Amino acid sequence: MALHQLTSFTLGVPDLARTAAYYRELGLTDDDDGWFATRDGGRQLRLVTSPVRRLIELRIGVDDADDLARAASRLLALGVTADVAAEVLTTRDRTTGVRVVLAITPRLDQPLTAPTPYNGPGRLERSGARAPGVLRENQVSPRKLGHVVLGTTDFDATTAFFRDGLGLRASDYIKDAGAFLRCSTDHHNVLVLRAPVVFPHHSSWQVDDIDEIGRGATAMLAGHPERHVWGLGRHHAGSNFFYYLKDPSGTFSEYYSDMDCVPDDQLWTPETFEGAKGLFNWGPPPPPSFLRPDDLAALMAGSHSS
């Protein structure tokens, strides 16, 4: 695949200081000018001031200039303009207003992490020692940005922009409601959701294993029960373990581990899920606020007034 990574996103928020403090607690590292970095992916989140929370920009890595030219051609076929200069293509989804930048970028080569030893029936991977997950005391620190989820008022148009124009591949669909799209070997890097207003639903951050999800969520909730959204559970689409929290702007953030991998398009057949499978395989049922965040009415009012 010519596209190879969701490299970063820019999020506009009303309270920059409080939101920045939240993402530091989530385990990201300050990297100047509003940027925050992960352990393996480098600078992957930028926070800027905005009257309401909104997704401003997504950046995607490509291999070479030919990849940019092909994307420009596909976008033109959809009637979408793109500016190509040197090693960068810049375009915009007309429905959501989100700017997307394709940039020639080296591929992410994540360092190999030894698998966590888990005991099971007839299988002793760990003997004579406590589980690593109960001994860890360091702050949970995400490895990389996994995906960003965007609500759109024109689901078909935004899906076509990312899939048919930019060239992301479809992994799965939620019937009439969602498209899981990938620009890497991860199951999804962008999830497009049908919504009554344009808004950023959540960002997702990879950690080593389910213990890191639990430890991270526990630390984030200490003294801040209002941050809880949904979890612990396991998704069906993507198969990953998850826990969702809420930042001060109202945007959700997800710790995840064990995401499905699609190294070869021929090895994967997209499915369309209905009902619970579109959301989760096991865990507590999602709260109503997960599907319709509490501030949607305010965001709709703001959208109409502007």
Side-chain angles (χ1 to χ4, degrees), residues 45 62-63 87 89 104 126 136 144 176 183 193 202 226-227 235 239 246 266 271 288:
L45 165 64
V62 305
D63 286 325
E87 299 185 343
L89 176 152
I104 299 174
R126 184 190 74 255
R136 298 170 187 161
K144 69 172 183 178
D176 301 326
C183 60
L193 286 179
H202 75 265
E226 75 282 358
R227 291 174 173 173
H235 286 304
S239 301
K246 183 167 64 175
Q266 303 303 315
E271 296 184 60

Side-chain angles (χ1 to χ4, degrees), residues 14-165:
D15 191 330
L16 192 61
R18 285 183 62 221
T19 309
Y22 170 94
Y23 284 100
R24 289 186 200 103
E25 288 187 55
L26 194 76
L28 305 184
T29 303
D30 279 285
D31 200 24
D32 298 328
D33 196 26
W35 281 98
F36 291 83
T38 58
R39 290 171 66 184
D40 298 338
R43 303 207 305 180
Q44 298 205 276
L45 165 64
R46 190 183 187 198
L47 297 177
V48 298
T49 302
S50 171
V52 296
R53 65 185 181 100
R54 65 189 184 100
L55 181 61
I56 294 174
E57 180 184 272
L58 292 175
R59 297 184 72 91
I60 295 172
V62 305
D63 286 325
D64 53 43
D66 288 341
D67 300 329
L68 299 180
R70 283 190 287 269
S73 178
R74 289 191 302 266
L75 288 164
L76 185 60
L78 293 179
V80 179
T81 59
D83 295 324
V84 181
E87 299 185 343
V88 172
L89 176 152
T90 304
T91 187
R92 190 179 298 272
D93 175 40
R94 287 178 293 199
T95 302
T96 63
V98 172
R99 181 173 63 247
V100 178
V101 178
L102 304 187
I104 299 174
T105 308
R107 291 190 173 230
L108 176 63
D109 183 18
Q110 279 193 285
L112 178 66
T113 302
T116 304
Y118 289 109
N119 290 338
R123 186 187 76 253
L124 296 181
E125 297 179 0
R126 184 190 74 255
S127 181
R130 299 187 194 280
V134 305
L135 298 176
R136 298 170 187 161
E137 295 181 352
N138 58 303
Q139 181 185 12
V140 169
S141 179
R143 292 283 185 171
K144 69 172 183 178
L145 170 66
H147 57 266
V148 171
V149 180
L150 174 63
T152 175
T153 53
D154 191 332
F155 173 72
D156 292 336
T158 300
T159 299
F161 170 77
F162 281 101
R163 182 192 59 204
D164 307 328

Side-chain angles (χ1 to χ4, degrees), residues 207-260:
V207 294
D208 288 353
D209 54 32
I210 191 171
D211 284 301
E212 294 298 89
I213 294 176
R215 290 200 320 114
T218 298
M220 291 294 288
L221 294 173
H224 291 281
E226 75 282 358
R227 291 174 173 173
H228 170 76
V229 177
W230 182 30
L232 176 72
R234 188 162 190 145
H235 286 304
H236 193 88
S239 301
N240 51 294
F241 296 109
F242 66 81
Y243 202 110
Y244 290 91
L245 303 152
K246 183 167 64 175
D247 78 17
S249 78
T251 305
F252 303 152
S253 50
E254 175 191 18
Y255 284 126
Y256 82 91
S257 67
D258 193 24
M259 176 74 73
D260 287 336

